Amino acid sequence: MVSEYRIQGETGEWEVVIGLEVHAQITSKAKLFSGASTEFGSEPNCNVSLVDAAMPGMLPVVNGECIRQAVRTGLALNAQINLWSRFDRKNYFYADLPQGYQISQLYHPIVGEGAIDVPLDEKDPDGEVKTIGIERLHVEQDAGKLMHDQHPTMSYVDLNRSGVALMEIVSRPDMGSPAEAAAYVRKLRSILRYVGSCDGNMEQGSMRADVNVSVRKPGGELGTRTETKNVNSMRFIQQVVETEARRQVDLIEDGGTVVQETRLFDPDKGETRSMRSKEDAHDYRYFPDPDLLPVELTEEFVAEARASLPELPDAKRHRYEQELGLSAYNAAVLTAEAETARWFEALLTESAAAQKASEADVAKPAANWLISELFGALNRLGKNLDESPVSHEHGAELLALVADGTLSGTLAKQVFEIMLETGDAPAEIVEEKGLKQTSDTGAIETVIADILAANADKVEEYRGGKDKLFGFFVGQTMKAMAGKANPQVVNELLRKALDG
Amino acid sequence: MANITDLGVAEIRDGFRAKDFSAREVAGAFNDAVAGAEALNCFIVTTPEKALEAADAADSALAAGTAGPLAGVPLGIKDLFCTKGVQSTAASHILEGFTPTYESTVSGKLLEAGAGMLGKLNMDQFAMGSSNETSYFGNVVSPWRRNDGGNTPMSPGGSSGGTSSAIAAHIVPAATGTDTGGSIRQPAAFTGICGMKPTYGRCSRWGIVAFASSLDQAGPMARSVKDCAILLEAMAGYDPKDSTSLDEPVPSWETALSGDLTGKKIGIPKEYRVDNMPEEIDALWKQGTEWLKDAGAEIVEVSLPHTKYALPAYYIIAPAEASANLARYDGVRYGLRELPDGANLQDMYAATRAAGFGEEVKRRIMIGTYVLSAGFYDAYYTQAQKVRTLIVRDFDNAWAQCDYLLTPTAPSAAFGLGDLSDDPIAMYLNDVFTVPSSLAGLPAIAVPGGLDKQGLPLGLQVIGKALDEQGVFNAGLALEERAGFSARAEKWW
């Protein structure tokens, strides 16, 4: 399906063709080829083994967990798992690359062709999707980091990241707009986080993208592409596509030609600039790393990896819609992040238990409360779900109190506010503050009688046909009962007293 | 009793256990011999105190009944092995002053077995060379001289030339070598000693400065087959830190040594008759065939048709791997750093590597870089890998007809230092008989067979099937027993 995104040039409309190479750090305690820790934020050069520093005579030994995670990710991307893959050396000199080569997989990646479906309108998850092809996924080492701000004339090197395992996930050039590119990365990130193979943290550099962009006249021959390296946020990915496509269109229309080159994105200026052209491109002299044996996987290993996969976001969303009866939008919101779905499912289980009902019966109020109440509150507090002051146990308890009539909607909101502040259990709050709803007809009738007596004129008006006054009586009754009266009972008794 | 420094590994081990002498006496004797042989330039660093320390520990262990299998035996360690707290340079300037904080698996196993270390042996720089002339620390001189009355300094072979020279000069009883294309076997042949390159993967490469990872193997060098067997038992074994090390049990090779080859078939590969090979080497080869027949073996002629492509393939694959393996010597983290005024990172790399690497190392880095370059990769590297596969197949086919192969070790006796240093191709030809088995990862031993007319040693090589070190040792022993090689270089140093 063709994207409708177009760049308006002087010579007419231009189509944009986008391919992404996403580098995702594999979640693993140890690096790809050494036992060193991968902890983020350690002091410089504290997570460095002899292997990572490329001391003489040191040898890489592949970390099986990283291989397993790559296979699980490949399976989640509906991709071909290659039972035979191999590591190659990519040779170049740089101070952040101690070995003088990066161990990567050029010729025989561990994962081959796959595809994921990306919704074109994220507000309408059941609407049109676009299938984005995955060309390959391979495993490689990360480099270290240069620090230029430590000394007036020298650069320092931090090797903590050196040797950390990355997956490079290469898409087909199947995206046609900045929004599609962002939607693809968002979907990919969601899948990786579900699988648990990458934390998807773009700020910490756990996930970053090389953005390949070219332009062409609609339906025409593919143009020459440029590659903008290391783009580390969804917003920047979109900006890179926009500015780079615009730059290319302007260049071509001014009579120039796009050169195949590597570019860098400057987020401050919002523009890309040339890093090196094809002519200066490295000859990486890839060849099989003789220190490592080929990675040979058994069918059993792959089957176990498959069995270890959690329910993935699309499947989960469908189940929420079909089995729990949630709206497509709610289902999409609740399944976009693995953490949200986990939280929701815990809430669901506890709600069903507390109300002695089925999950399907309690799902809608639980989803509504989570999305409108808790998310709203967390947003206000600037907190993530995992920092929520309200636990899912307490959430379930609150929902149960509403369901059994102990709390009205209004009271529930009050209790919830207190829960947010104190983290106390709702039942305790209800008890302590006496916020329990009353359905005691005797008490309510007494109050109603007083109110009708005190407002005889309004009673007359009402009975004379001014129906709207009913709301007034409800309000007065509720106010007199400090909001604790069961509104349904109040309605019934008022009708009886007024219309009787 | 014989001079202690004339004893080999088994004799020292046994004499020490029999309390004929203490480990300290042994270490002292060899320390003195080492100190008295500076003219040979065998050592880059000597560690007499380490040898004594290990000896004292051995003496105490013997008294306590806990002496290890190599207790009391002092050894030389080739400088390619990283040794904890002792400078390890691979005979290069770029690693001059580099003192590892870790011990290579192989040298660690030897020390663990109770051996002591006399020092770090000189070698061709990064194990690249066949004459020991590429060392940054000056060439080693062989104890051997031609019998022409002249005093031409002779090459001890290479790259394990410090090792071969020291053993032949009886300043160490035995030592470690490493072999990538013949670096144990050719120097053994040049100096009249034994040297064993085991099956690729038998010995861990962890902590050995890498030259060509798919070929490098550590192995023992000593004055007898038995000593080699004893040492290899201590050196070999699976190491999870080396992905290419073999998870195979280490047999007791020494115990099963036997020169009886009844029922065994020895293959004579016809392609190993090369042009211009000295008549005496051919004669020794024939003699070796007779010796093995005498030991009960049957002789068959076999063909290894791709042999002539082995050397060119080797000189593509080994430099290709080396070009990447040596990229880490960049002046950033350890070793030499040359930082000219106003230098940027690239300048520093260039200056450091220009000053730090010798000519032969640079040549191989350039060859390796070239054969891996875009546009040349398929013509060279891919092609060489195909040749390697064919070489492996040649051997597999041969094993259908025989148990071992007998060949000369090197195409000539030792040459004078400087004779070949201007002609790299002639130098590379030294490896013509050793390279094919390296490419195939097979075990092979060099055993001295006799002297040529000039009075210089000549060696024979036995190649065996993968993991059949026992068979190779046994065939080597059969040769050794019959050759009765007892010549030794007259002391001039």
Side-chain angles (χ1 to χ4, degrees):
Chain A
M1 110 126 250
V2 180
S3 167
E4 280 160 25
Y5 180 81
R6 294 287 182 273
I7 300 273
Q8 287 300 328
E10 284 169 12
T11 61
E13 291 192 330
W14 294 79
E15 212 170 85
V16 185
V17 178
I18 306 152
L20 293 174
E21 291 164 28
V22 172
H23 296 261
Q25 180 180 333
I26 298 177
T27 303
S28 157
K29 288 197 180 69
K31 295 183 180 180
L32 181 53
F33 296 113
S34 81
S37 163
T38 55
E39 198 183 334
F40 180 79
S42 302
E43 287 292 301
N45 295 313
C46 283
N47 300 341
V48 184
S49 75
L50 295 169
V51 175
D52 306 323
M55 300 304 284
M58 290 301 103
L59 299 172
V61 175
V62 73
N63 176 345
E65 175 60 14
C66 297
I67 296 296
R68 200 179 77 91
Q69 290 288 35
V71 169
R72 295 176 75 242
T73 306
L75 292 169
L77 299 176
N78 313 301
Q80 151 105 30
I81 304 301
N82 294 324
L83 297 180
W84 195 94
S85 66
R86 197 180 63 190
F87 286 102
D88 301 303
R89 292 184 182 177
K90 176 183 182 178
N91 296 286
Y92 65 95
F93 282 95
Y94 203 55
D96 64 6
L97 189 73
Q99 291 167 143
Y101 54 84
Q102 178 197 31
I103 306 178
S104 181
Q105 297 188 303
L106 175 70
Y107 297 108
H108 298 278
I110 190 161
V111 175
E113 297 251 8
I116 57 174
D117 285 339
V118 175
L120 291 180
D121 176 0
E122 282 169 64
K123 292 236 158 55
D124 178 17
D126 281 344
E128 210 163 356
V129 296
K130 182 160 184 174
T131 301
I132 307 293
I134 307 282
E135 185 185 315
R136 56 186 281 157
L137 175 157
H138 69 254
V139 177
E140 63 185 23
Q141 299 176 298
D142 204 351
K145 191 176 78 178
L146 289 193
M147 306 195 292
H148 301 292
D149 54 356
Q150 310 283 311
H151 187 277
T153 60
M154 314 263 270
S155 292
Y156 284 23
V157 189
D158 176 7
L159 295 180
N160 281 351
R161 288 191 70 88
S162 166
V164 163
L166 302 178
M167 294 179 280
E168 182 172 328
I169 303 165
V170 183
S171 83
R172 293 273 171 207
D174 286 348
M175 288 150 279
S177 71
E180 280 179 24
Y184 164 75
V185 175
R186 209 170 287 127
K187 185 63 177 280
L188 189 61
R189 181 173 178 275
S190 165
I191 293 172
L192 297 182
R193 285 167 61 85
Y194 262 79
V195 169
S197 59
C198 172
D199 67 19
N201 193 327
M202 298 186 89
E203 279 154 41
Q204 290 180 0
S206 305
M207 211 174 142
R208 51 193 195 261
D210 298 344
V211 183
N212 288 290
V213 175
S214 65
V215 296
R216 63 175 173 189
K217 285 297 174 96
E221 296 266 304
L222 278 177
T224 304
R225 68 186 164 87
T226 61
E227 178 182 19
T228 304
K229 293 288 224 188
N230 279 329
V231 186
N232 65 354
S233 84
M234 306 282 180
R235 190 162 60 86
F236 291 163
I237 290 171
Q238 301 195 60
Q239 265 181 286
V240 164
V241 173
E242 283 159 19
T243 58
E244 185 53 21
R246 168 52 64 188
R247 188 190 69 85
Q248 291 183 13
V249 166
D250 291 348
L251 182 65
I252 296 168
E253 291 189 333
D254 285 351
T257 8
V258 176
V259 291
Q260 190 176 335
E261 63 182 353
T262 305
R263 299 180 71 84
L264 276 181
F265 179 62
D266 183 339
D268 297 330
K269 294 190 179 146
E271 60 185 31
T272 67
R273 60 168 184 272
S274 181
M275 194 163 113
R276 56 174 182 262
S277 73
K278 195 184 174 189
E279 287 70 41
D280 316 321
H282 290 297
D283 178 355
Y284 290 118
R285 308 190 308 281
Y286 281 96
F287 76 107
D289 191 328
D291 283 333
L292 291 161
L293 301 176
V295 179
E296 294 183 59
L297 307 176
T298 60
E299 295 284 4
E300 292 72 41
F301 179 88
V302 176
E304 277 168 34
R306 193 188 296 278
S308 78
L309 286 181
E311 185 182 29
L312 293 170
D314 280 346
K316 203 181 268 298
R317 183 167 58 79
H318 287 305
R319 182 168 64 81
Y320 283 9
E321 288 179 37
Q322 278 151 26
E323 291 178 19
L324 302 179
L326 299 188
S327 69
Y329 176 78
N330 276 5
V333 169
L334 293 175
T335 55
E337 288 284 348
E339 290 67 36
T340 313
R342 261 198 293 278
W343 213 99
F344 173 65
E345 286 177 16
L347 176 71
L348 204 55
T349 309
E350 282 149 15
S351 283
Q355 297 176 38
K356 301 198 170 45
S358 75
E359 291 192 353
D361 290 337
V362 300
K364 274 189 202 165
N368 286 334
W369 174 77
L370 180 56
I371 293 171
S372 45
E373 300 297 328
L374 186 59
F375 283 178
L378 292 174
N379 227 354
R380 225 161 52 227
L381 298 171
K383 288 188 171 174
N384 291 321
L385 193 50
D386 59 358
E387 303 159 323
S388 168
V390 175
S391 67
H392 34 75
E393 291 89 347
H394 288 172
E397 203 178 311
L398 182 65
L399 288 167
L401 291 171
V402 173
D404 71 7
T406 310
L407 291 178
S408 64
T410 323
L411 280 175
K413 281 192 207 302
Q414 286 180 44
V415 172
F416 177 61
E417 287 304 322
I418 300 169
M419 289 164 74
L420 281 172
E421 263 171 51
T422 62
D424 288 344
E428 280 171 38
I429 297 169
V430 167
E431 196 59 40
E432 212 170 285
K433 313 252 174 193
L435 289 173
K436 210 168 180 166
Q437 171 176 275
T438 179
S439 305
D440 179 344
T441 46
I444 298 171
E445 272 166 346
T446 312
V447 171
I448 287 176
D450 291 349
I451 287 168
L452 296 194
N455 296 284
D457 49 340
K458 293 221 165 57
V459 173
E460 279 311 306
E461 283 176 47
Y462 174 81
R463 286 190 176 139
K466 211 168 172 189
D467 289 357
K468 279 185 193 157
L469 278 170
F470 189 76
F472 164 80
F473 294 113
V474 172
Q476 290 296 309
T477 312
M478 291 305 278
K479 192 176 165 193
M481 305 274 312
K484 284 179 242 167
N486 182 328
Q488 245 176 313
V489 177
V490 170
N491 275 335
E492 272 170 39
L493 296 178
L494 265 176
R495 292 225 184 271
K496 216 162 78 186
L498 288 167
D499 306 342
Chain B
M1 192 187 74
N3 199 330
I4 283 182
T5 55
D6 290 337
L7 303 179
V9 173
E11 294 158 315
I12 294 170
R13 176 192 67 185
D14 299 343
F16 161 71
R17 283 171 186 267
K19 302 207 167 80
D20 295 342
F21 39 75
S22 70
R24 194 173 177 88
E25 285 174 81
V26 176
F30 280 104
N31 278 342
D32 291 347
V34 167
E38 276 179 23
L40 299 177
N41 199 28
C42 290
F43 284 88
I44 295 174
V45 170
T46 58
T47 54
E49 68 299 335
K50 292 237 170 233
L52 290 174
E53 216 174 276
D56 289 346
D59 285 328
S60 314
L62 184 65
T66 56
L70 289 177
V73 182
L75 297 171
I77 302 292
K78 188 179 181 181
D79 203 36
L80 205 61
F81 294 80
C82 288
T83 43
K84 188 174 179 176
V86 179
Q87 177 185 266
S88 304
T89 68
S92 72
H93 183 35
I94 209 159
L95 280 175
E96 193 173 7
F98 171 66
T99 303
T101 56
Y102 48 92
E103 185 79 35
S104 83
T105 298
V106 164
S107 57
K109 283 167 91 90
L110 289 169
L111 300 179
E112 186 82 2
M117 181 168 82
L118 292 160
K120 300 298 292 292
L121 291 159
N122 205 347
M123 53 181 280
D124 277 302
Q125 193 172 138
F126 285 105
M128 297 174 185
S130 303
S131 67
N132 229 283
E133 291 165 291
T134 71
S135 169
Y136 175 73
F137 300 94
N139 58 266
V140 175
V141 183
S142 172
W144 291 90
R145 283 181 169 174
R146 293 193 181 104
N147 56 12
D148 58 7
N151 291 332
T152 311
M154 304 302 293
S155 166
S159 69
S160 309
T163 302
S164 64
S165 179
I167 294 168
H170 293 228
I171 63 173
V172 301
T176 62
T178 64
D179 192 313
T180 303
S183 279
I184 284 176
R185 292 161 286 167
Q186 182 257 20
F190 275 22
T191 55
I193 65 165
C194 295
M196 169 65 153
K197 181 199 92 75
T199 308
Y200 180 79
R202 266 292 187 198
C203 292
S204 168
R205 294 183 295 112
W206 193 89
I208 300 175
V209 172
F211 162 15
S213 311
S214 74
L215 296 153
D216 295 344
Q217 260 301 287
M221 296 171 76
R223 288 189 298 270
S224 73
V225 172
K226 184 179 179 181
D227 284 0
C228 285
I230 293 170
L231 282 190
L232 187 59
E233 267 181 57
M235 295 163 73
Y238 173 62
D239 181 1
K241 290 188 288 187
D242 174 3
S243 311
T244 62
S245 102
L246 294 169
D247 193 358
E248 293 283 339
V250 177
S252 178
W253 289 304
E254 182 194 7
T255 318
L257 273 180
S258 159
D260 180 1
L261 301 183
T262 308
K264 298 294 182 191
K265 287 185 181 167
I266 310 294
I268 308 297
K270 61 180 183 188
E271 290 80 6
Y272 279 53
R273 288 193 187 93
V274 297
D275 293 344
N276 306 323
M277 191 160 76
E279 165 62 24
E280 290 165 294
I281 289 185
D282 203 38
L284 175 64
W285 193 8
K286 288 204 179 79
Q287 178 63 64
T289 312
E290 292 306 314
W291 285 333
L292 293 181
K293 234 189 254 178
D294 182 59
E298 187 190 328
I299 308 298
V300 292
E301 177 154 297
V302 298
S303 174
L304 301 167
H306 299 94
T307 301
K308 67 176 167 189
Y309 303 113
L311 201 62
Y314 172 85
Y315 275 98
I316 290 167
I317 293 168
E321 294 181 12
S323 71
N325 281 336
L326 271 61
R328 65 187 57 197
Y329 309 111
D330 58 7
V332 174
R333 297 168 311 287
Y334 48 78
L336 182 72
R337 173 185 291 177
E338 289 287 326
L339 193 63
D341 277 348
N344 64 21
L345 182 65
Q346 291 299 327
D347 301 333
M348 183 186 84
Y349 287 151
T352 300
R353 291 166 66 83
F357 290 137
E359 291 308 306
E360 183 60 27
V361 174
K362 286 177 192 164
R363 174 164 25 245
R364 298 205 195 186
I365 290 173
M366 286 191 282
I367 292 171
T369 304
Y370 179 81
V371 300
L372 291 175
S373 297
F376 299 102
Y377 184 90
D378 284 338
Y380 290 99
Y381 186 76
T382 308
Q383 201 66 10
Q385 290 293 10
K386 287 181 188 163
V387 169
R388 188 171 189 177
T389 305
L390 294 172
I391 301 276
V392 171
R393 196 175 302 163
D394 278 359
F395 281 107
D396 285 344
N397 292 337
W399 302 137
Q401 301 169 60
C402 64
D403 298 292
Y404 321 115
L405 296 164
L406 178 70
T407 79
T409 306
S412 75
F415 43 84
L417 285 164
D419 285 0
L420 299 183
S421 42
D422 294 335
D423 187 350
I425 301 291
M427 191 69 89
Y428 295 170
L429 282 169
N430 267 282
D431 298 331
V432 67
F433 298 140
T434 47
V435 150
S437 44
S438 288
L439 287 170
L442 301 174
I445 196 167
V447 178
L451 299 179
D452 72 357
K453 288 193 296 279
Q454 315 170 85
L456 296 176
L458 297 174
L460 286 167
Q461 172 180 234
V462 176
I463 302 168
K465 297 171 194 169
L467 294 174
D468 188 18
E469 279 80 5
Q470 188 70 61
V472 173
F473 280 132
N474 287 355
L477 182 67
L479 290 172
E480 182 181 59
E481 286 171 348
R482 284 158 186 81
F485 185 86
S486 59
R488 87 181 255 196
E490 204 171 309
K491 189 170 187 300
W492 53 261
W493 55 92

